[in-house]
Amino acid sequence: MASASYDARRGELTTYFDRTAVDAWSRLTSDAPVSRIRATVRAGRDAMRATLLSWLPADMTGLRLLDAGCGTGALSVEAARRGAEVVAIDVSPTLIGLAQERLPEISGAGRIDFRVGDMLDPGLGRFDHVVAMDSLIHYRAADIARALAALGARTDGSILFTVAPRTALLTVMHAAGQFFPRGDRSPAIVPVTERGLRRRISSERALDGFVWAQSHRINSGFYLSNAVALTRTLPPPSAGEGTLRNRGGEGSDGTGKGPRLHEGRDSSGSRAPPLRDIVPTRPPLTQGPPSPAEGGGGAAATGVPQ
């Protein structure tokens, strides 16, 4: 269940993306000329989208993906081209309208169902994979963990998401953005620490079957964001054998006997510590393997539209 703070922040984001900064976002997510600062944001978002897409299967035929905070739909299009059935949802009707206008022809089995609404709506159904690119960066760590738990309860494969890392550079950029306010700047982001976020995630029982598989940071001028992959290694309690185990897909050893476990890696390529090492009071989690796209969130600094 979403908290009051989550609902309040979602309302602010709806106003921003649907009214305040529509023109700025329309340009940023297109090939139109932009300022040098916004060009760094565009490049950073392109790199982040490519990273998240690289963590998804190359062939997604028959798989269902939720693009949570899809914005103008760039990631959704790439996933559909791989054969995925994509549900692309955003709080902004205007951005969804832009996504539909820009939608190219997609050959093959893939398709996109654009929706306006809340990415946590249980009525959207179950998914093999969920991607939330820059759509959680405006929320507190507690709300991020609760949102991931709500998504994890109906995800059979992986949850790929981004957060704003708490760094000295981001603190300075954040302060500068608040000191020089402009009407088209987004609601402030909320930087989080990896240790704190891991602790929050470990407290959510709906995520007990997931591991923190890997992370990767993108730093491009005024864009600073950290991607994280949570991968399911145990089937959901109510899902029996689970869709991925039945097809021998991602998260399986291909024999149908269960998930193949690997050690996760952090953004530097080093072995990532298991969540149980940080929160010993929770049931141990096994370490395992592992793109809004134009999502509803964005640049590290509040001085530029996402």
Side-chain angles (χ1 to χ4, degrees):
M1 178 181 297
S3 66
S5 58
Y6 172 88
D7 290 336
R9 178 61 92 178
R10 182 165 57 87
E12 294 174 3
L13 295 173
T14 300
T15 299
Y16 169 73
F17 286 107
D18 203 46
R19 303 174 190 174
T20 307
V22 170
D23 291 340
W25 265 94
S26 177
R27 292 179 64 85
L28 184 68
T29 58
S30 69
D31 295 328
V34 293
S35 68
R36 284 181 294 178
I37 288 177
R38 291 181 177 177
T40 68
V41 176
R42 178 186 285 170
R45 289 177 56 79
D46 289 346
M48 179 59 76
R49 188 183 314 112
T51 294
L52 296 173
L53 285 166
S54 74
W55 292 353
L56 291 170
D59 182 0
M60 300 188 69
T61 304
L63 299 182
R64 197 163 188 256
L65 178 138
L66 175 65
D67 188 355
C70 66
T72 55
L75 188 143
S76 295
V77 169
E78 294 306 314
R81 284 173 171 164
R82 297 184 185 186
E85 176 187 337
V86 181
V87 174
I89 191 165
D90 199 279
V91 296
S92 168
T94 302
L95 290 183
I96 289 296
L98 282 172
Q100 292 172 322
E101 290 175 9
R102 296 177 180 179
L103 183 64
E105 182 177 352
I106 297 174
S107 60
R111 66 185 184 86
I112 304 175
D113 178 10
F114 287 109
R115 309 274 189 97
V116 176
D118 184 3
M119 62 184 173
L120 303 187
D121 181 2
L124 297 174
R126 297 196 65 82
F127 296 91
D128 294 282
H129 300 280
V130 171
V131 179
M133 177 178 147
D134 294 343
S135 53
L136 295 174
I137 63 173
H138 300 283
Y139 296 94
R140 301 179 310 157
D143 285 334
I144 292 174
R146 281 191 286 264
L148 293 173
L151 294 169
R154 48 195 175 88
T155 301
D156 297 320
S158 66
I159 305 174
L160 312 181
F161 65 99
T162 63
V163 294
R166 185 177 296 171
T167 66
L169 174 62
L170 182 53
T171 300
V172 172
M173 295 168 70
H174 189 200
Q178 291 181 323
F179 188 70
F180 299 105
R182 284 185 44 190
D184 64 353
R185 286 181 179 154
S186 64
I189 63 170
V190 183
V192 300
T193 65
E194 181 173 314
R195 184 180 182 88
L197 185 59
R198 281 174 177 266
R199 181 179 295 111
R200 294 282 188 179
I201 289 174
S202 288
S203 71
E204 297 290 345
R205 291 197 174 276
L207 297 173
D208 280 353
F210 288 85
V211 298
W212 184 295
Q214 62 178 324
S215 64
H216 181 71
R217 184 170 297 178
I218 300 292
N219 188 349
S220 171
F222 271 68
Y223 182 90
L224 177 61
S225 191
N226 203 85
V228 177
L230 299 183
T231 302
R232 182 178 287 284
T233 59
L234 298 175
S238 61
E241 289 300 301
T243 59
L244 295 181
R245 288 179 62 186
N246 286 339
R247 8 176 127 93
E250 183 180 358
S252 167
D253 61 3
T255 65
K257 297 180 180 179
R260 180 176 59 210
L261 306 183
H262 299 272
E263 294 174 335
R265 301 282 169 176
D266 64 17
S267 57
S268 67
S270 301
R271 181 180 301 175
L275 293 175
R276 62 175 178 273
D277 290 346
I278 296 174
V279 188
T281 58
R282 297 291 298 141
L285 300 181
T286 308
Q287 197 69 7
S291 60
E294 301 300 332
T302 56
V304 285
Q306 287 76 348

